[in-house]
Amino acid sequence: MKTIDAFTRRFAPILDPPSQRRGWRFELGKALPALMSFAAVRLTGVVMATLWSLHLGRHPRTVFGLEWDGRWYWHISQYGYGLIVHGKGGHSVYNDLAFFPLFPGLIRAVSTLLPIGPVNAALLIAWSAALVAAWGVYAIGELLHGRRVGIILVVLWALLPHAIILTTAYTEPLMTAFAAWSLHAVLSRRWLTAGTLAVLAGLCRPNGLAVAVAVVTGAVAHLWQLRRTGEPTAPRAWAAAVTAPLGWLGYIGWVGLRTHNPAGYFHVQSLWGSRFDFGHYTAHTFRHLIVGHDTLVVYATAAIILGSLLLFLFCALNGQPLPLLTYCAVLIVMAVGGAHFFTSKPRLLLPAFPLLLPLALHLARSRLRTIVVLLTSLAGVSLFYGTYLLTVSHRAL
């Protein structure tokens, strides 16, 4: 019995995260330093990429709003689904059903309400969502470890090598905004809010499924704790567990109906060259980098993947709450286990901000000079690499 009690005390933060029930709305004054730091870093990145785009004779709005997936979202927002493009040699078929509907739907809505055009609407949504996401990242850091950690966590997230994506017409900012506040709601046991936001995250992009899995995990762990202690069950936790996957499942099901194939969405992805191969393609690419050579972006991608795996190990050893661990684990599995588009994997890992918590905790205990030197160095690398990634590199984002 003593052994069981000791086990429960040791892993209580993981099985039943601290709620502290402090309310959904954080005082904006507390979050302002984090949000201002995030905005300053990312606006600097926008300015640098804009200047270099102009130097190369490219329109900055095109670079930020119509590159790679951005063009697909623009087309869906204007014409709906139905675009199919055949790749060179006929080896790939690019179907716009691969893209989830919430972001293009919002672009259509905003551009209808505001006379700013669909590309500007897409950027407005992405930039606004990035700020909301940064607020959510701060809220989780502050809830778990205090204000100092929350601010540092946001700055570290803003300085990730691929953080330039947060200022482009991509879905990562929107999904991360829903994910961060859904996870915050799980940690504070606001189950209906958590489930609703998970549904919206699941309508953003394929790896939005990670949010639903985290909500289900948190709800099940909470219900298990209630049962173990003999407390009444929590109907809202059950409701969150049931509703959280509905956004993701709803779109998968709709594509299945449209293509007359229950696995229609996964078939569409396979025609793009994207499929889940349990990491075989990723391992093959790593072997290629060891015995051969490739571009800077490919080596940077490999380093980011290895760093993410190492940070996940630190998170697990440090007893990070189970919903956050589950969320990051699903993002890592989907990114590393997927085939094709190797250089897109850091973008798929961009929403995995809880991986940075061990670094934020360590920096929070450091001297101010150490923090300033390290963050300044990271800023230099991130800003210049982000500019290179968006304006010079021809690798898929």
Side-chain angles (χ1 to χ4, degrees), residues 2-354:
K2 290 182 179 180
T3 303
I4 295 176
D5 290 341
F7 175 87
T8 302
R9 286 194 300 271
R10 171 66 181 84
F11 290 96
I14 303 178
L15 298 173
D16 194 23
S19 66
Q20 298 184 29
R21 294 196 175 276
R22 294 171 43 183
W24 169 254
R25 297 189 179 186
F26 271 67
E27 295 178 10
L28 185 58
K30 280 188 171 183
L32 268 181
L35 297 182
M36 292 175 65
S37 299
F38 176 83
V41 170
R42 294 304 354 131
L43 283 176
T44 303
V46 169
V47 170
M48 290 177 61
T50 297
L51 293 175
W52 198 248
S53 298
L54 293 172
H55 173 73
L56 297 175
R58 302 173 63 190
H59 197 294
R61 189 177 61 177
T62 301
V63 172
F64 284 98
L66 288 174
E67 293 291 334
W68 300 102
D69 291 1
R71 184 171 294 276
W72 287 90
Y73 288 121
W74 170 83
H75 193 276
I76 295 169
S77 72
Q78 298 304 294
Y79 306 105
Y81 286 99
L83 177 63
I84 298 176
V85 178
H86 292 272
K88 294 180 180 179
H91 298 295
S92 299
V93 178
Y94 304 116
N95 190 326
D96 61 8
L97 289 174
F99 297 93
F100 277 54
L102 185 56
F103 187 49
L106 289 175
I107 296 172
R108 181 64 176 266
V110 172
S111 61
T112 300
L113 294 173
L114 301 176
I116 59 176
V119 177
N120 290 332
L123 293 175
L124 176 63
I125 294 167
W127 293 7
S128 301
L131 276 175
V132 175
W135 192 0
V137 171
Y138 165 81
I140 287 180
E142 201 268 356
L143 175 67
L144 294 176
H145 303 291
R147 189 182 180 206
R148 185 181 177 91
V149 171
I151 294 173
I152 294 175
L153 181 64
V154 170
V155 175
L156 288 174
W157 187 58
L159 293 177
L160 287 175
H162 275 63
I164 190 71
I165 297 297
L166 297 174
T167 50
T168 62
Y170 271 61
T171 52
E172 276 70 23
L174 190 62
M175 180 207 147
T176 309
F178 290 132
W181 286 108
S182 179
L183 292 169
H184 182 270
V186 170
L187 296 177
S188 55
R189 297 178 190 170
R190 298 175 181 272
W191 298 112
L192 296 184
T193 299
T196 302
L197 293 174
V199 170
L200 294 172
L203 289 170
C204 285
R205 51 177 301 100
N207 58 0
L209 176 64
V211 187
V213 175
V215 172
V216 171
T217 302
V220 170
H222 178 61
L223 291 167
W224 180 82
Q225 284 288 89
L226 292 179
R227 181 177 180 181
R228 187 180 64 83
T229 58
E231 298 179 50
T233 187
R236 293 188 177 188
W238 282 109
V242 171
T243 59
L246 293 183
W248 190 86
L249 291 174
Y251 183 68
I252 299 298
W254 180 80
V255 174
L257 291 174
R258 181 165 175 139
T259 58
H260 307 288
N261 179 1
Y265 175 78
F266 303 102
H267 178 65
V268 168
Q269 286 281 19
S270 68
L271 293 177
W272 274 76
S274 298
R275 64 189 184 281
F276 190 81
D277 67 351
F278 299 93
H280 181 267
Y281 170 78
T282 302
H284 174 77
T285 305
F286 270 91
R287 286 196 296 270
H288 159 69
L289 293 178
I290 293 172
V291 300
H293 62 275
D294 216 305
T295 62
L296 169 65
V297 176
V298 179
Y299 281 102
T301 298
I304 291 169
I305 291 173
L306 292 176
S308 298
L309 294 172
L310 186 61
L311 286 173
F312 181 80
L313 178 62
F314 289 154
C315 289
L317 293 176
N318 290 336
Q320 192 170 104
L322 186 58
L324 301 186
L325 278 177
T326 306
Y327 169 71
C328 292
V330 175
L331 289 175
I332 291 173
V333 168
M334 294 184 74
V336 176
H340 208 34
F341 301 112
F342 183 76
T343 53
S344 296
K345 294 184 185 299
R347 173 172 62 84
L348 305 183
L349 293 170
L350 191 58
F353 64 88

